[in-house]
Amino acid sequence: MESCGRSVVIAPLLLRSQSRRPLFLRGQSLLQRRFSLSSSQIPSLSSSQVPSLPRGAGEGVKEDARSKLLQVVLVSPQIPGNTGCIARTCAASAVGLHLVGPLGFQVDDARVKRAGLDYWPFVVVKAHSSWAEFREYFRQQEGEKRMIAFTKRGTKIHSDFSYRRGDYLLFGSETSGLPPEALSDCNNETYGGGTIRIPMVETYVRCLNLSVSVGIALYEASRQLNYEQIESAPQGCEPLLTEDIFA
């Protein structure tokens, strides 16, 4: 889903001292504290830099209509483990994945690879340097399509919403949520499908984990579409694993 809404979650005194810093720089500080990273280990977040991808990403599967039935879009994700888990979910559910910069890490980071295990070759993934670049890509795509924003302040509950083929499911940064321009585009009559929320008890929990939110939303959308993209997976492929392993 998105972040907890406002960046007032862990260290109020520190965040007050950073109140004039851009949100993505505040996200960098959160990552440095959480993962004990030095400044040199946090990549530059230049909006003109197209994120790199893990070696071999997408090589084991071809982009086809199946991967375009539903697509997941992560806008400025900050925590590499979340992105790796989401990539694994996209491989399991046969949907496309888009990473929109600036990101809070290198996509070929070891933590991203580890969370995605050896499933990256089976993820149809595209990288975009900025929201404007992704929006132009989206505009050029043929066929029926919508952008749907998942946000804590969504107007409809995820299970009450009617999903369609060609839907792009958008999720924002763990530290600041979706940017205003993305929310605006999702409410636009031309391409927008509106804003969606996943219900939760906010008394105790500020927000759901990003990878959990993607899984909830993606499988509800897939259920409504009768798991068409999964059922039409290529036949005759050797399974990666022969045991039931959950890790």
Side-chain angles (χ1 to χ4, degrees):
M1 207 166 171
E2 62 169 24
S3 75
C4 304
R6 298 182 181 179
S7 299
V8 290
V9 291
I10 297 178
L13 292 177
L14 178 60
L15 291 181
R16 278 202 296 272
S17 69
Q18 294 180 337
S19 59
R20 295 184 180 181
R21 300 177 69 198
L23 285 172
F24 69 82
L25 291 180
R26 291 183 230 170
Q28 278 186 289
S29 298
L30 289 172
L31 288 172
Q32 285 177 290
R33 293 200 308 278
R34 181 165 183 175
F35 296 106
S36 300
L37 301 179
S38 66
S39 298
S40 63
Q41 291 175 289
I42 301 290
S44 170
L45 296 179
S46 170
S47 61
S48 62
Q49 181 179 357
V50 178
S52 59
L53 297 174
R55 181 176 299 178
E59 291 182 356
V61 62
K62 293 182 179 180
E63 181 178 18
D64 55 17
R66 183 172 59 95
S67 63
K68 292 185 176 181
L69 186 66
L70 291 170
Q71 302 195 56
V72 169
V73 182
L74 304 182
V75 183
S76 297
Q78 299 295 305
I79 300 176
N82 281 338
T83 297
C85 288
I86 291 167
R88 180 176 177 177
T89 300
C90 288
S93 54
V95 304
L97 173 63
H98 295 265
L99 303 177
V100 181
L103 308 183
F105 51 87
Q106 295 286 357
V107 185
D108 57 0
D109 186 286
R111 289 180 295 275
V112 181
K113 295 177 181 178
R114 183 162 57 247
L117 295 179
D118 52 358
Y119 302 114
W120 277 105
F122 303 94
V123 183
V124 176
V125 55
K126 293 184 180 297
H128 312 268
S129 64
S130 65
W131 175 255
E133 181 180 299
F134 169 77
R135 181 171 50 195
E136 180 61 20
Y137 165 87
F138 176 87
R139 189 186 66 80
Q140 294 176 3
Q141 301 309 295
E142 299 179 353
E144 188 176 8
K145 55 185 182 291
R146 295 186 300 180
M147 289 189 289
I148 301 168
F150 282 81
T151 166
K152 191 174 180 179
R153 300 170 185 80
T155 58
K156 297 180 181 179
I157 294 178
H158 76 290
S159 55
D160 293 338
F161 185 79
S162 296
Y163 301 91
R164 303 194 305 232
R165 293 182 180 87
D167 281 348
Y168 286 68
L169 313 182
L170 273 62
F171 300 85
S173 162
E174 294 93 337
T175 57
S176 57
L178 284 165
E181 57 269 30
L183 291 170
S184 176
D185 287 339
C186 288
N187 284 313
N188 184 285
E189 291 185 3
T190 303
Y191 296 125
T195 57
I196 308 298
R197 63 185 173 88
I198 299 174
M200 53 174 277
V201 180
E202 298 185 31
T203 306
Y204 313 112
V205 180
R206 291 181 294 267
C207 58
L208 292 171
N209 173 270
L210 177 61
S211 62
V212 171
S213 298
V214 172
I216 291 172
L218 182 52
Y219 270 85
E220 171 58 25
S222 297
R223 182 192 67 81
Q224 291 189 21
L225 297 176
N226 297 315
Y227 301 102
E228 182 178 335
Q229 82 281 7
I230 298 176
E231 296 298 330
S232 60
Q235 300 298 314
C237 296
E238 290 295 326
L240 287 175
L241 300 173
T242 57
E243 303 176 34
D244 290 329
I245 298 176
F246 296 88

